[in-house]
């Protein structure tokens, strides 16, 4: 009888597992109606937990989260490290027929050749969200946060290591991926000067920073374009721009942790997101560019023509993808520690 009860318990747990999907993703990064539609279609309950940075997500997985979550949404540059650390499991393409909908330029990304571990979710840029009553014309330089003489009020820096260091590196005339110690020293000095400014609100997540703007607590903030666009919701009091020095491009992707309790549900969710109609709804809701070529065909003209979503050719020339730092990771880690601790 004891063995029978134990078997029933195990079967019960297994059944419960197939009915639940645990997602760990960026704050406010999916249309709730998409989640509810997935639940209705599959009968799988979706539980979502949020993070504000790639580093926070990786730390949580390393601290025992590998067996807690079924799906994560990492940014491009962090993926090679996650693979090397064995934090992700290979995808089963036989369960992802909709992967064919990806734009070819996102179907074999350099950070994950052949999409072995990831598939694209959304892509965008990092730039400056600002109040149009303070800045009558879009700010043209990152100097409005880095140069005390150009500051026009309180501002928020982005609490994300590679993006914020990358912007500082661009400001001093270097690549966002520069591992030159002299260039990094200049970037650290620029960030420390901004951090210690009387106008600084410190380092914040994108959602927190945009809310500070809406609450009148800041006049500018370093944020992801999708956070700026969705939070402002077309309000002319707020604008978004990419300063002339340049910034970073990113693509966030869906991936399955190495010991995910329900990988089958994760595959079903990924395939659901890759459906053109769902992908278009996601992009419209997030006010973001989509890597899904078939979904892009379904977007509104107002979305397709929005320069804050789709960078111009001139902007693309000063935008860079953040690359895996490899053996230079320690340089970036130590630089960020200096910035945050001093």
């Amino acid at each position: 009888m004891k063995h029978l009860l134990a078997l029933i318990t195990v079967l019960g747990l297994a059944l419960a597992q197939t009915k639940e999907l645990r997602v760990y993703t960026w704050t406010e990064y999916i249309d709730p109606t998409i989640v509810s539609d997935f639940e209705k279609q599959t009968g799988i309950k979706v539980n979502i937990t949020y993070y504000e940075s790639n580093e926070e997500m990786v730390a949580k997985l390393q601290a025992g989260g590998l067996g807690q979550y079924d799906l994560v949404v990492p940014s491009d540059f962090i993926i090679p490290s996650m693979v090397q650390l064995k934090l992700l499991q290979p995808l089963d393409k036989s369960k992802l027929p909709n992967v064919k909908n990806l734009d070819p330029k996102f179907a074999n990304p350099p950070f994950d050749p052949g999409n072995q571990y990831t598939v694209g979710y959304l892509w965008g840029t990092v730039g400056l969200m600002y109040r149009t009553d303070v800045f009558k014309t879009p700010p043209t330089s990152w100097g409005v946060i880095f140069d005390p003489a150009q500051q026009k009020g309180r501002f928020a820096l982005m609490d994300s290591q590679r993006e914020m260091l990358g912007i500082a590196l661009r400001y001093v005339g270097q690549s966002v991926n520069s591992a030159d110690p002299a260039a990094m020293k200049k970037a650290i000095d620029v960030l420390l000067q901004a951090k210690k400014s009387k106008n600084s609100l410190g380092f914040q997540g994108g959602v927190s920073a945009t809310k500070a703007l809406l609450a009148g607590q800041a006049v500018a903030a370093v944020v992801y374009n999708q956070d700026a666009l969705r939070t402002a919701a077309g309000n002319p009091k707020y604008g978004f721009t990419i300063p002339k020095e340049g910034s970073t491009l990113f693509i966030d992707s869906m991936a399955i942790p190495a010991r995910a309790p329900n990988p089958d549900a994760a595959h079903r969710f990924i395939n659901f997101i890759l459906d053109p109609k769902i992908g278009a709804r996601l992009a419209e809701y997030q006010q973001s560019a989509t890597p899904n070529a078939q979904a892009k065909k379904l977007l509104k003209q107002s979305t397709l023509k929005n320069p804050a979503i789709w960078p111009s050719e001139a902007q693309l020339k000063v935008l860079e993808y953040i690359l895996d730092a490899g053996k230079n990771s320690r340089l970036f880690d130590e630089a960020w520690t200096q910035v945050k601790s001093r």
Side-chain angles (χ1 to χ4, degrees):
M1 178 62 75
K2 287 183 179 180
H3 293 299
L4 179 60
L5 289 173
L7 179 60
I8 291 173
T9 300
V10 169
L11 291 174
L13 289 172
L15 181 62
Q17 182 190 88
T18 63
K19 296 298 182 182
E20 182 179 43
L21 173 71
R22 298 178 182 178
V23 178
Y24 192 31
T25 185
W26 299 85
T27 303
E28 299 179 9
Y29 206 27
I30 190 167
D31 181 349
T33 66
I34 290 177
V35 175
S36 60
D37 284 351
F38 174 78
E39 291 177 327
K40 291 173 186 175
Q41 185 180 115
T42 64
I44 298 171
K45 173 66 177 174
V46 180
N47 290 314
I48 304 179
T49 306
Y50 301 103
Y51 54 83
E52 289 274 8
S53 72
N54 285 288
E55 292 76 21
E56 178 186 349
M57 178 267 295
V58 169
K60 185 68 173 288
L61 292 183
Q62 289 181 302
L66 279 182
Q68 295 180 30
Y69 304 109
D70 302 302
L71 188 77
V72 291
V73 189
S75 297
D76 41 23
F77 69 89
I78 203 77
I79 290 169
S81 293
M82 294 181 75
V83 172
Q84 186 176 13
L85 292 168
K86 302 188 184 306
L87 299 181
L88 302 177
Q89 62 177 269
L91 298 174
D92 183 347
K93 299 294 180 54
S94 69
K95 297 179 180 179
L96 301 174
N98 285 334
V99 76
K100 67 181 185 294
N101 296 324
L102 282 178
D103 186 303
K105 63 186 174 187
F106 296 109
N108 187 34
F111 55 84
D112 181 22
N115 290 110
Q116 186 177 357
Y117 295 91
T118 67
V119 291
Y121 183 73
L122 292 170
W123 70 272
T125 61
V126 174
L128 193 71
M129 184 178 178
Y130 60 93
R131 277 175 36 190
T132 55
D133 61 330
V134 176
F135 298 92
K136 303 301 182 184
T137 58
T140 59
S141 171
W142 286 113
V144 296
I145 60 172
F146 291 142
D147 180 1
Q150 297 183 51
Q151 294 171 5
K152 292 191 176 183
R154 307 207 77 185
F155 59 85
L157 300 167
M158 177 177 277
D159 192 12
S160 185
Q161 180 193 117
R162 290 297 304 276
E163 280 93 348
M164 204 64 246
L165 284 171
I167 288 168
L169 284 165
R170 290 291 313 191
Y171 183 67
V172 299
Q174 302 294 317
S175 164
V176 301
N177 299 299
S178 174
D180 176 63
M184 189 64 76
K185 171 71 166 56
K186 291 179 181 178
I188 291 170
D189 291 343
V190 161
L191 285 172
L192 284 174
Q193 179 170 261
K195 172 189 174 182
K196 294 177 180 179
S197 167
K198 64 180 181 180
N199 290 316
S200 176
L201 292 174
F203 296 91
Q204 299 190 20
V207 174
S208 302
T210 54
K211 288 181 178 178
L213 272 166
L214 267 60
Q217 299 168 353
V219 302
V222 183
V223 298
Y224 297 109
N225 65 328
Q226 52 199 213
D227 286 334
L229 289 161
R230 194 167 52 80
T231 305
N235 190 330
K237 293 181 180 179
Y238 307 96
F240 176 85
T241 190
I242 297 169
K244 62 183 180 183
E245 294 92 355
S247 185
T248 64
L249 277 169
F250 68 87
I251 175 169
D252 291 330
S253 298
M254 296 172 283
I256 303 176
R259 295 200 296 274
N262 198 350
D264 285 339
H267 279 90
R268 293 183 71 177
F269 188 80
I270 292 172
N271 198 58
F272 185 76
I273 294 295
L274 291 173
D275 177 272
K277 291 182 180 179
I278 299 301
R281 284 171 57 190
L282 175 66
E284 293 283 4
Y285 177 81
Q286 292 296 149
Q287 289 290 283
S288 180
T290 175
N292 188 323
Q294 299 307 310
K296 186 177 179 180
K297 296 177 181 178
L298 304 178
L299 297 179
K300 299 174 184 175
Q301 283 301 305
S302 58
T303 300
L304 288 169
K305 293 180 179 179
N306 191 332
I309 297 176
W310 306 93
S312 67
E313 288 301 317
Q315 289 174 324
L316 284 171
K317 290 179 181 178
V318 294
L319 288 167
E320 295 181 81
Y321 281 109
I322 296 173
L323 304 178
D324 176 36
K327 66 179 189 298
N328 295 314
S329 294
R330 184 174 178 179
L331 175 70
F332 286 92
D333 291 343
E334 290 179 348
W336 191 239
T337 298
Q338 286 189 55
V339 170
K340 294 296 288 287
S341 63
R342 287 167 60 184

